[in-house]
């Protein structure tokens, strides 16, 4: 078994790596990713290495070992980033050189590593992630055993030339795990959730969220006789079964295309948007009630409980100012909805993620209110919006924040300061106002600096 040599290595162009992968027999994978994660007007939005998303999912799961196969520089960067974001697990690594890659010895080394790791006393699953060069070389993880001594073996390819963002790479692993779990459930009884099965019908939640959000969603569902189900990506293998057992799933993050495919294959209804803001929560509760055939009186009771406190939160903490917003987490449209309902004049929303059917309600809501929505936004898109709209506050990625401050515009980093807050229900309605209003209050300080330093302050 041999792999095709990659002359350009991991620093080769994406087109060259993509064609090498096709020549090495990876065409099916490349085509599937092209369909699941369509590109936009450019081929790489702002995001860290996409493989970080899959690595993050594996490292956050109990009894799961994660192994990387890729160039040493890439593995170093990914492990550094994972520990920077709080991972407390060892990341496995199968090194290679030109000889082991070309002769197929790398695959044998991966296989050997998997057999050494597959201890059922320690692990439910072992995840192996091919990075760019092994994928482009056709290293065939599909030929690994599906299980060893009861330990599931999950092999995935997450190349930067096939998966545009780390947010979507979360879906690559989550979808692969759901597919495996669905096949297990179809074959017979499976392990029950650690906390047992809920007595009420449950709604699975799709997308990483602030920890308080699933709790808040559960409280909103309670008057309808429903419960919040597991959050996918899950923290444990057995939760995958519980998620698939839910009659419906809510695509809170709407770009989990592979995961949605598995829910639909299991016969589950998938809902778009999320319970954000007054109007978003009202529409979302209606959609949930319809999906579960909840009696009208119970839907109205849920709305009567959830909506007045949300309106009150907006009235207590209004936001006044022109804002542009961009990020790569996938929740950008939801945050924009919250800001608009808070009273902000939002002019532009850029997201690194693609347009999908499950974000259409949010896109339509924003555009009818005059907000420009840019999917697969590039840095150039975000900077052009900054220049055109001259906002009172820019929320964005690190280079956007840097440029805004050079222009004497207050700015906030989306990932650490905005997405790390609750967004759903009444908690979300009040969560953004404090940090956003504090940043808007810095305008006077920037004006003073600009007056003191003159043109040098905003060059």
């Amino acid at each position: 078994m041999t792999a095709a040599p990659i002359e350009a290595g991991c620093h080769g162009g994406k087109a060259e790596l993509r064609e090498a992968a096709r020549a090495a027999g990876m065409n099916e994978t490349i085509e599937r990713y092209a369909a699941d994660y369509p590109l936009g007007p450019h081929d790489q939005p702002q995001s860290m290495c996409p493989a970080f998303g899959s690595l993050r999912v594996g490292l956050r799961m109990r009894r799961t070992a994660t192994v990387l196969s890729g160039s040493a520089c890439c593995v170093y960067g990914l492990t550094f980033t994972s520990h920077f974001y709080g991972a407390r697990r060892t990341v496995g690594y199968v090194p290679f050189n030109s000889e082991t890659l070309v002769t197929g010895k790398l695959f044998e080394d991966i296989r050997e590593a998997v057999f050494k790791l597959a201890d059922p006393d320690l692990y439910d699953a072992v995840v192996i992630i091919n990075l760019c060069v092994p994928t482009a070389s056709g290293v065939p993880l599909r030929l690994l055993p599906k299980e060893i001594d009861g330990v599931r073996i999950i092999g995935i390819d997450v190349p930067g030339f096939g998966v545009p963002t780390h947010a979507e790479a979360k879906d690559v692993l989550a979808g692969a795990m759901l597919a495996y779990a669905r096949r297990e459930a179809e074959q017979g009884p499976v392990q029950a959730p650690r906390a047992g099965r809920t007595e009420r019908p449950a709604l699975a939640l799709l997308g990483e969220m602030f920890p308080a959000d699933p709790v808040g969603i559960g409280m909103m569902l309670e008057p309808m006789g429903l419960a919040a189900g597991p959050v996918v990506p899950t923290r444990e293998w057995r939760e995958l079964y519980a998620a698939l057992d839910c009659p419906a799933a809510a695509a809170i993050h709407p770009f989990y295309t592979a995961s949605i495919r598995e829910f639909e294959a299991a016969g589950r209804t998938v809902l778009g948007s999320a319970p954000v803001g007054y109007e978003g929560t009202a529409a979302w509760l209606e959609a949930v009630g319809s999906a579960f055939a909840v009696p009208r009186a119970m839907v109205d009771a849920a709305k009567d409980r959830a909506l007045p406190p949300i309106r009150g939160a907006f009235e207590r903490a209004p936001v006044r100012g022109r804002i542009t917003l961009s990020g790569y987490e996938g929740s950008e449209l939801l945050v924009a909805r919250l800001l608009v309902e808070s009273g902000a004049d939002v002019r532009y929303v850029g997201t690194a993620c693609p347009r999908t059917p499950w974000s259409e309600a949010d896109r339509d809501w924003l555009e009818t209110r005059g907000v420009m929505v840019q999917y697969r936004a590039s840095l150039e898109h975000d900077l052009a919006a900054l220049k055109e709209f001259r906002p009172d506050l820019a929320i964005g990625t690190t280079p956007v924040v840097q440029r805004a401050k050079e222009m004497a515009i207050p700015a906030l980093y989306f990932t650490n300061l905005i997405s790390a807050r609750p967004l759903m229900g009444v908690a979300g309605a009040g969560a953004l106002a404090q940090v956003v209003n504090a940043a808007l209050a810095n305008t006077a300080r920037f004006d003073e600096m600009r007056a003191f330093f003159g043109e040098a302050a905003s060059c």
Side-chain angles (χ1 to χ4, degrees):
M1 183 185 305
T2 61
I6 305 300
E7 298 295 338
C10 62
H11 302 292
K14 291 184 179 179
E16 289 80 1
L17 288 168
R18 192 176 294 114
E19 288 309 308
R22 293 182 190 278
M26 299 295 293
N27 192 62
E28 182 179 348
T29 298
I30 298 302
E31 292 298 323
R32 185 175 72 250
Y33 287 170
D36 285 353
Y37 315 115
L39 298 176
H42 54 91
D43 67 351
Q44 189 73 57
Q46 297 174 69
S47 175
M48 62 188 75
C49 171
F52 173 67
S54 293
L55 178 62
R56 175 183 172 95
V57 168
L59 290 177
R60 296 180 75 190
M61 289 184 70
R62 297 187 185 96
R63 293 177 52 82
T64 300
T66 306
V67 179
L68 295 176
S69 168
S71 300
C73 56
C74 300
V75 173
Y76 170 78
L78 286 165
T79 53
F80 176 87
T81 305
S82 68
H83 291 298
F84 178 82
Y85 278 92
R88 296 184 176 87
R89 301 267 188 88
T90 297
V91 179
Y93 171 41
V94 181
F96 68 88
N97 55 38
S98 297
E99 181 180 354
T100 60
L101 183 67
V102 172
T103 62
K105 179 67 164 54
L106 173 57
F107 175 77
E108 298 303 323
D109 291 344
I110 293 172
R111 190 174 188 277
E112 180 182 353
V114 167
F115 271 90
K116 287 181 178 179
L117 273 174
D119 182 348
D121 291 333
L122 299 176
Y123 301 118
D124 294 328
V126 174
V127 176
I128 309 93
I129 302 173
N130 265 349
L131 306 181
C132 287
V133 171
T135 295
S137 300
V139 176
L141 297 182
R142 63 187 177 279
L143 298 183
L144 291 171
K146 299 304 179 189
E147 63 90 20
I148 301 170
D149 294 334
V151 178
R152 302 158 185 88
I153 309 301
I154 312 290
I156 57 173
D157 292 272
V158 192
F161 58 84
V163 182
T165 68
H166 82 280
E168 290 159 290
K170 296 175 187 178
D171 178 51
V172 174
L173 182 52
M177 288 185 163
L178 282 168
Y180 198 120
R182 183 171 62 83
R183 289 191 294 270
E184 289 181 312
E186 289 171 349
Q187 293 169 5
V190 293
Q191 197 172 22
R194 185 180 295 270
R197 295 185 63 183
T198 176
E199 295 181 358
R200 291 174 290 164
L203 176 70
L205 306 175
L206 194 50
E208 286 190 322
M209 285 173 275
F210 187 77
D213 277 336
V215 177
I217 289 174
M219 294 173 65
M220 285 187 275
L221 295 175
E222 187 178 353
M224 291 193 286
L226 306 175
V231 176
V232 179
T234 63
R235 296 301 184 93
E236 190 172 14
W237 187 271
R238 65 173 75 184
E239 292 177 358
L240 294 164
Y241 307 132
L244 289 166
D245 193 42
C246 295
I252 304 296
H253 285 188
F255 53 85
Y256 277 74
T257 306
S259 299
I260 288 170
R261 182 164 54 242
E262 294 305 320
F263 278 108
E264 290 180 337
R268 309 311 184 213
T269 301
V270 179
L271 310 174
S273 194
V276 291
Y278 186 96
E279 293 187 27
T281 299
W284 190 81
L285 289 173
E286 287 284 352
V288 172
S290 177
F292 284 85
V294 175
R296 166 49 51 188
M298 297 177 72
V299 174
D300 289 342
K303 293 167 68 176
D304 289 343
R305 177 190 287 188
L307 297 181
I310 293 173
R311 174 164 286 165
F314 285 139
E315 291 173 350
R316 287 191 299 273
V319 175
R320 299 286 184 261
R322 182 185 305 153
I323 296 175
T324 59
L325 183 152
S326 57
Y328 49 59
E329 301 296 336
S331 57
E332 290 77 27
L333 273 64
L334 301 181
V335 172
R337 290 191 65 155
L338 274 181
L339 290 172
V340 170
E341 287 208 50
S342 296
D345 176 17
V346 179
R347 297 294 182 91
Y348 167 85
V349 181
T351 176
C353 294
R355 179 174 175 174
T356 72
W358 303 282
S359 67
E360 284 298 281
D362 300 320
R363 180 197 60 78
D364 182 68
W365 191 92
L366 289 166
E367 289 186 344
T368 58
R369 286 156 181 80
V371 182
M372 176 183 176
V373 178
Q374 176 66 59
Y375 292 99
R376 287 285 189 239
S378 66
L379 177 58
E380 290 73 21
H381 285 127
D382 297 342
L383 294 182
L386 195 63
K387 182 178 180 180
E388 177 180 354
F389 298 117
R390 295 292 303 192
D392 301 308
L393 173 67
I395 300 172
T397 56
T398 301
V400 173
V401 168
Q402 178 183 3
R403 180 57 184 149
K405 290 182 177 179
E406 289 173 354
M407 297 169 65
I409 296 172
L412 293 172
Y413 178 39
F414 185 93
T415 297
N416 285 7
L417 296 174
I418 301 299
S419 69
R421 281 174 165 75
L423 297 178
M424 315 299 163
V426 64
L432 296 182
Q434 182 177 6
V435 65
V436 169
N437 283 330
L440 285 167
N442 285 329
T443 301
R445 295 172 60 191
F446 279 101
D447 290 341
E448 290 176 11
M449 286 190 289
R450 182 157 45 188
F452 182 83
F453 288 104
E455 290 299 318
S458 57
C459 62

